Amino acid sequence: MPASQDDISRYFIYLYVDQAPFSKIEAAFYSLKWHHDCNPEVNNNPCDSKFLRCLLEGLKRLKAKPVSKKDPVTPDILNKIVFRFGMGSNLMHIRLCAICLTSYAGFLRNDELINIRECDVEFGSSFVRIFLVKSKTDQYREGSWVVIAETDSITCPVKMLKRYMQLGCISGSEKFLFRPVTFFKSKNVHKLRDGKMTYSRCRELFKEALDSVGVDAKKFSLHSLRAGGATAAASVGVPDRLFKKHGRWKSEGSKDGYVKESLDNLLSVSKQLGL
């Protein structure tokens, strides 16, 4: 050290030929840049050169892979899950249905869902309000309210959430809302225990539920619930202002990335060209 521009570029090419992922090349670039910035003997940081920046951008393009997004969950899939798991009084099954319906209707990320506490839930006469203490786009931790309306269908998220809270004897404490379940064999009953559900456990239960109702689980992820709700809202023309507020999006680009346009909507463009 200090390294020359040529030495660094040859190292990046070596990583590329060695099939290193772009994340490793990028990490090497910023590590070298930081090291040279901290070295008082270096007057001109080689990582500031336009050549290395262009090389890095070129390697990023060469390493780029097409984004493979998971499919959004549809109301039909939720109907199947509720018919399969939500008609009885099994706490584990009702918890699964409440997770799916609340995530779908509230456009919830899994991290938002599993961090909801009992005291964050308030029921109104025909709706539920859920306070999200933190969110991905809430950098200053101001929190936000998500309001979900009650419906008359079996997939009503408000009614299912009420059933889950009643079965789990949830009373509005500081405990997490969605918690692990323990089965007491002697009493033949499920009960909630302390702690909160993990992403991997939620994902496992969701995938198992999809498989059990004849849906290819490989096409879906937990984020498919949020994307499914967003897609359904977009298809019925929910105003952008309410759409962004409900989903806690800060930009148009991030919001639009969640919506999967229907074939009819895509065809409507060319149908209106006067041909």
Side-chain angles (χ1 to χ4, degrees), residues 43-86:
N43 295 321
N44 295 312
N45 192 331
C47 293
D48 289 333
S49 72
K50 289 184 178 180
F51 174 78
L52 281 180
R53 292 282 183 177
C54 289
L55 176 62
L56 196 68
E57 183 64 27
L59 293 176
K60 182 178 181 179
R61 293 182 182 183
L62 289 173
K63 285 285 184 179
K65 295 180 181 179
V67 177
S68 178
K69 287 190 175 183
K70 300 294 185 180
D71 290 346
V73 167
T74 63
D76 181 60
I77 292 174
L78 292 176
N79 265 292
K80 290 179 180 179
I81 290 176
V82 172
F83 268 117
R84 174 70 176 81
F85 297 100

Side-chain angles (χ1 to χ4, degrees), residues 225-244:
L225 293 164
R226 175 172 163 86
T231 299
S235 66
V236 296
V238 172
D240 268 4
R241 181 177 60 84
L242 293 176
F243 194 102
K244 288 175 66 176

Side-chain angles (χ1 to χ4, degrees), residues 8-265:
I8 295 174
S9 61
R10 279 194 289 266
Y11 176 58
F12 287 169
I13 296 300
Y14 162 76
L15 291 176
Y16 171 75
V17 173
D18 200 41
Q19 300 297 316
F22 178 74
S23 58
K24 184 175 181 179
I25 299 173
E26 188 177 40
F29 172 81
Y30 285 108
S31 296
L32 288 166
K33 178 174 169 49
W34 176 82
H35 183 84
H36 283 86
D37 282 339
C38 295
N39 191 336
E41 297 180 3
V42 176
N43 295 321
N44 295 312
N45 192 331
C47 293
D48 289 333
S49 72
K50 289 184 178 180
F51 174 78
L52 281 180
R53 292 282 183 177
C54 289
L55 176 62
L56 196 68
E57 183 64 27
L59 293 176
K60 182 178 181 179
R61 293 182 182 183
L62 289 173
K63 285 285 184 179
K65 295 180 181 179
V67 177
S68 178
K69 287 190 175 183
K70 300 294 185 180
D71 290 346
V73 167
T74 63
D76 181 60
I77 292 174
L78 292 176
N79 265 292
K80 290 179 180 179
I81 290 176
V82 172
F83 268 117
R84 174 70 176 81
F85 297 100
M87 308 310 288
S89 57
N90 183 297
L91 179 59
M92 284 191 68
H93 291 172
I94 300 302
R95 180 190 62 179
L96 168 68
C97 293
I99 286 173
C100 292
L101 294 175
T102 305
S103 297
Y104 180 90
F107 299 1
L108 298 180
R109 303 175 180 90
N110 185 253
D111 183 62
E112 295 171 340
L113 179 87
I114 62 178
N115 281 295
I116 297 172
R117 296 181 183 269
E118 296 178 10
C119 57
D120 295 329
V121 180
E122 296 180 4
F123 287 98
S125 57
S126 59
F127 63 91
V128 65
R129 293 187 347 137
I130 302 174
F131 185 70
L132 303 179
V133 177
K134 63 177 182 177
S135 181
K136 181 181 177 181
T137 54
D138 183 15
Q139 297 180 354
Y140 297 104
R141 297 294 183 263
E142 296 173 346
S144 59
W145 286 97
V146 174
V147 183
I148 301 173
E150 187 174 315
T151 66
D152 295 325
S153 68
I154 64 166
T155 52
C156 173
V158 179
K159 293 175 182 175
M160 191 62 71
L161 188 58
K162 282 182 180 178
R163 286 180 62 194
Y164 165 66
M165 294 179 74
Q166 289 168 358
L167 284 172
C169 300
I170 293 172
S171 57
S173 69
E174 289 286 334
K175 294 181 179 179
F176 290 105
L177 177 63
F178 294 106
R179 307 202 298 275
V181 171
T182 298
F183 179 68
F184 292 87
K185 191 174 181 180
S186 59
K187 298 181 180 179
N188 193 33
V189 65
H190 290 91
K191 288 188 177 181
L192 296 174
R193 65 175 188 266
D194 290 343
K196 69 176 179 180
M197 295 187 69
T198 62
Y199 171 86
S200 58
R201 181 56 176 157
C202 289
R203 180 179 178 276
E204 179 185 6
L205 292 173
F206 179 56
K207 294 275 191 177
E208 289 176 355
L210 292 174
D211 283 331
S212 69
V213 297
V215 176
D216 186 359
K218 293 179 181 178
K219 294 182 179 180
F220 300 89
S221 68
L222 285 174
H223 226 56
S224 296
L225 293 164
R226 175 172 163 86
T231 299
S235 66
V236 296
V238 172
D240 268 4
R241 181 177 60 84
L242 293 176
F243 194 102
K244 288 175 66 176
K245 183 175 178 60
H246 192 72
R248 300 160 304 286
W249 286 292
K250 296 295 185 183
S251 67
E252 290 291 328
S254 58
K255 170 184 72 72
D256 292 341
Y258 279 83
V259 178
K260 183 176 182 179
E261 293 291 352
S262 67
L263 179 60
D264 288 341
N265 285 345

